[in-house]
Amino acid sequence: MTTVSAATVQFTHRPGDKAYNLGVVERFAAEAAARGVQLLTFPEMCLTGYWHVIGLDRAGIAALAEPVPDGPSVQALRALARRYGIVVGAGLVEAAGGTFHNSYVVAEPDGAWHVHRKIHAFESEHITPGAAYTVFESPTLGATLGVLICYDNNIVENARITALMGADILLAPHQTGGTASRSPHAMGVIDPALWAAREENPAAIEAEFAGDKGRGWLMRWLPSRAHDNGLFLLFANGVGEDSGEVRTGNAMILDCYGRILAETSRARDEMVCAELDLTLLDRSTGRRWLRGRRPELYGPLTVPTGRELHPREARFSPEPA
């Protein structure tokens, strides 16, 4: 297969309302299938809800979490993949042997499934970061997929290792934009009143989505992850108010040169679609540069500096970096 028809979705989930969230996923899956889509991605933790988990105790997290693959949400996702003949990915809180993870499940039409546990999970002290990369061949697509969830993508080593493991397409589900940042030049809080008034004044909220609190911030680094590593990249994100913060959507698909193939800045649930030309991969700049690496010089990357923090501490620490 030389092309993959791909789509990525932004939508406003309801905290803890799995039935509603699955209904949105099913609606977009049906639309995607009707449009000939083969690969469909949804945002991080969109099945269970996201930002409300920071206020949940361990019992609350346990009530929200589900096992993978036997939980009802993942079973429903796998059923959608079979029904529509597409590869589909979505995020949730996973329960696994007494621990909980921010996880992303990718279901194949033939019943196969894969799960990535967010390596840099910070949402709750009760959610354990993952400890492995997730790269796998999709027989449906004839391509190799990798998964990195939100913060995972901010660490350049994660994208590079995923590429070195053979990924052609990086699935990058997020819940981002419009967040309170320790950096004065990265994102920033959006007034929820602008989202509430999106029907009467869409220009105001969409200006925020297109600016430095949304797309402007993404453009500083997201294309480089695709370009420098020779990967297609599917960015799925929440959109709208999420327990006091406003996600900026900006669903987009980038090619292996970091060029944007499809995107949206609209303040609504939306899907964007693009054809991924896999023949671009072999001669892409990033893949050629990978062959010129000098691994013998990179030992310092694996040596602790003594300044490392747990992802949760790194995310919320008020101390200067």
Side-chain angles (χ1 to χ4, degrees):
M1 186 177 296
T2 59
T3 62
V4 170
S5 181
T8 189
V9 171
Q10 63 181 42
F11 82 89
T12 309
H13 64 258
R14 292 181 182 174
D17 192 341
K18 298 176 189 176
Y20 172 82
N21 298 331
L22 277 167
V24 175
V25 168
E26 181 169 4
R27 174 168 60 84
F28 277 115
E31 179 184 345
R35 296 175 64 173
V37 167
Q38 300 162 290
L39 172 61
L40 175 63
T41 60
F42 291 92
E44 172 187 17
M45 279 173 61
C46 63
L47 299 179
T48 50
Y50 179 66
W51 203 231
H52 74 293
V53 304
I54 68 169
L56 297 180
D57 58 15
R58 185 173 181 84
I61 296 286
L64 189 66
E66 296 184 13
V68 175
D70 297 325
S73 295
V74 176
Q75 288 297 311
L77 193 70
R78 296 176 72 192
L80 287 175
R82 287 192 296 268
R83 182 189 317 164
Y84 293 114
I86 58 178
V87 179
V88 57
L92 76 163
V93 180
E94 177 191 2
T99 60
F100 307 107
H101 302 281
N102 176 341
S103 294
Y104 196 80
V105 175
V106 182
E108 294 264 358
D110 64 1
W113 58 274
H114 305 270
V115 62
H116 176 71
R117 294 169 174 171
K118 187 175 182 179
I119 299 169
H120 296 274
F122 64 87
E123 298 78 15
S124 168
E125 62 182 322
H126 307 298
I127 292 179
T128 301
Y133 294 96
T134 304
V135 177
F136 56 92
E137 185 175 353
S138 169
T140 305
L141 305 174
T144 301
L145 307 184
V147 184
L148 293 172
I149 300 173
C150 202
Y151 192 166
D152 292 349
N153 291 277
N154 297 142
I155 309 300
V156 296
E157 290 88 347
N158 292 335
R160 175 52 51 91
I161 290 170
T162 300
L164 290 173
M165 292 175 68
D168 301 315
I169 303 169
L170 177 60
L171 312 186
H174 281 64
Q175 294 286 348
T176 195
T179 68
S181 172
R182 298 293 181 188
S183 170
H185 300 293
M187 294 187 283
V189 175
I190 294 174
D191 185 353
L194 295 178
W195 171 256
R198 64 191 179 281
E199 299 292 340
E200 300 82 23
N201 186 12
I205 186 64
E206 289 174 4
E208 293 279 58
F209 287 5
D212 283 344
K213 296 175 183 178
R215 187 183 188 275
W217 170 71
L218 294 170
M219 289 299 99
R220 296 174 199 164
W221 61 274
L222 203 59
S224 69
R225 299 295 182 270
H227 170 271
D228 292 353
N229 296 291
L231 298 164
F232 290 91
L233 192 151
L234 274 60
F235 174 81
N237 194 20
V239 66
E241 187 170 359
D242 182 8
S243 298
E245 292 192 344
V246 179
R247 308 286 164 238
T248 58
N250 302 115
M252 70 177 74
I253 299 174
L254 300 95
D255 77 1
C256 53
Y257 284 91
R259 299 177 298 186
I260 298 174
L261 301 178
E263 67 174 322
T264 180
S265 290
R266 285 187 246 190
R268 67 182 191 186
D269 293 1
E270 191 158 18
M271 178 174 72
V272 298
C273 304
E275 296 295 314
L276 311 185
D277 180 0
L278 302 183
T279 66
L280 295 177
L281 288 167
D282 285 346
R283 295 184 180 275
S284 67
T285 307
R287 289 210 170 183
R288 289 190 294 109
W289 285 349
L290 285 178
R291 297 186 68 185
R293 293 170 63 248
R294 296 282 306 279
E296 71 274 14
L297 300 178
Y298 306 150
L301 289 174
T302 67
V303 178
T305 65
R307 298 192 298 272
E308 289 80 12
L309 298 174
H310 184 279
R312 183 171 173 80
E313 294 177 299
R315 172 64 176 81
F316 294 112
S317 173
E319 298 300 321

